[in-house]
């Protein structure tokens, strides 16, 4: 997918307005990526969250599309805004970006958005991602975030899409072993599910009814 600066489509303001505004000296995209707002001790959590909720409601679809067409910081932020406000019209776009895996860091935000949409269609996208990328045991992309989101959806939807990935000595174990040889830490499915739950329950607690 081609990359295009928002200025080229008449939305040059969106990066400064939504992506790089700062909290405690940190730009929004970095706070979202690090997750420090999910903990109770960050002094800027209330202000950060109020602004995030307000911007998720205020940003229009054209501005979101401009961000999704740019680099990882913009895509990460747009996906969080989409997930917080549950803009399900972006499901296919988010799914395409996740499956393409063009840039670093933003994949976890795509998975958050899909988990927030909370439908069978979202579970199918996550399943397709894991089918494609878990066999690639030398690639550490967004497999943990995708599995965590899928496990949450399975629990909410009463499905068992993740079972065939997490069975003993299955694709998940093989992938963890493979990336472990590259120096990446071990991940358990339960840990990934807890992280997705933390993100989604945070959003549930702050978003509009």
């Amino acid at each position: 997918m081609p990359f295009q600066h928002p200025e080229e489509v008449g939305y040059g303001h969106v990066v400064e307005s939504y992506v790089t505004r700062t909290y405690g000296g940190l730009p929004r995209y970095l706070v979202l990526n690090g997750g420090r707002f999910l903990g109770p001790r960050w002094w800027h959590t209330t202000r950060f969250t109020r602004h995030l909720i307000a911007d998720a409601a205020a940003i229009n679809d054209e501005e979101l599309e401009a961000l999704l067409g740019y680099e990882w910081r913009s895509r990460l932020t747009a996906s969080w805004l989409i997930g917080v406000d549950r803009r399900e019209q972006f499901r296919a776009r988010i799914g395409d970006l996740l499956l393409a895996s063009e840039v670093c860091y933003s994949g976890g935000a795509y998975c958050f958005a899909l988990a927030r949409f909370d439908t069978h269609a979202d579970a199918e996208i996550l399943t397709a991602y894991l089918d494609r990328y878990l066999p690639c045991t030398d690639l550490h992309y967004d497999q943990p975030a995708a599995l965590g989101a899928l496990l949450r959806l399975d629990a909410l939807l009463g499905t068992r899409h993740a079972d065939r990935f997490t069975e003993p000595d299955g694709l998940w174990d093989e992938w963890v072993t493979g990336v472990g040889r590259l120096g990446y830490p071990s991940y358990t499915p339960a840990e990934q599910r807890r992280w997705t739950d933390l993100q989604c329950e945070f959003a549930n607690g702050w978003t509009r009814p």
Side-chain angles (χ1 to χ4, degrees):
M1 301 178 190
F3 296 88
Q4 188 174 51
H5 195 289
E7 288 181 351
E8 297 178 43
V9 290
Y11 291 98
H13 65 282
V14 293
V15 173
E16 184 176 355
S17 295
Y18 298 111
V19 181
T20 60
R21 63 186 305 177
T22 59
Y23 300 86
L26 297 172
R28 173 183 277 168
Y29 73 85
L30 201 59
V31 177
L32 289 170
N33 191 50
R36 67 174 58 208
F37 62 99
L38 298 171
R41 297 184 179 180
W42 192 46
W43 290 2
H44 307 280
T45 290
T46 298
R47 174 172 167 265
F48 175 86
T49 304
R50 286 175 177 165
H51 288 179
L52 183 69
I53 301 310
D55 285 348
I59 191 170
N60 63 45
D61 287 355
E62 291 76 18
E63 290 172 319
L64 285 168
E65 191 58 53
L67 290 174
L68 290 175
Y70 194 33
E71 42 75 271
W72 71 267
R73 299 166 187 82
S74 296
R75 292 183 179 189
L76 181 154
T77 305
S79 299
W80 264 91
L81 295 171
I82 287 167
V84 166
D85 207 51
R86 286 195 167 112
R87 306 272 186 108
E88 293 190 40
Q89 62 268 36
F90 283 95
R91 175 180 290 108
R93 183 78 164 106
I94 292 289
D96 288 345
L97 290 170
L98 177 63
L99 289 169
S101 289
E102 294 175 311
V103 295
C104 60
Y105 301 118
S106 56
Y110 304 151
C111 294
F112 162 74
L114 294 172
R116 283 280 291 164
F117 295 160
D118 188 16
T119 73
H120 292 282
D122 307 299
E124 290 173 2
I125 293 170
L126 293 163
T127 299
Y129 177 86
L130 292 169
D131 275 329
R132 180 179 299 184
Y133 288 104
L134 276 183
C136 303
T137 56
D138 60 338
L139 296 180
H140 187 277
Y141 285 179
D142 298 292
Q143 293 92 334
L147 182 66
L150 184 59
L151 286 166
R152 177 178 174 85
L153 291 182
D154 273 348
L156 294 174
L157 299 171
T159 52
R160 305 189 68 172
H161 296 289
D163 283 4
R164 62 187 177 87
F165 301 121
T166 59
E167 63 185 6
D169 300 319
L171 282 174
W172 179 256
D173 285 346
E174 291 176 4
W175 179 79
V176 168
T177 299
V179 296
R181 297 191 187 101
L182 303 176
Y184 291 100
S186 177
Y187 302 92
T188 68
E191 288 169 340
Q192 298 312 312
R193 164 72 192 280
R194 280 196 295 271
W195 180 245
T196 304
D197 285 345
L198 184 64
Q199 294 175 321
C200 290
E201 294 308 318
F202 171 86
N204 288 346
W206 282 84
T207 47
R208 297 172 299 158

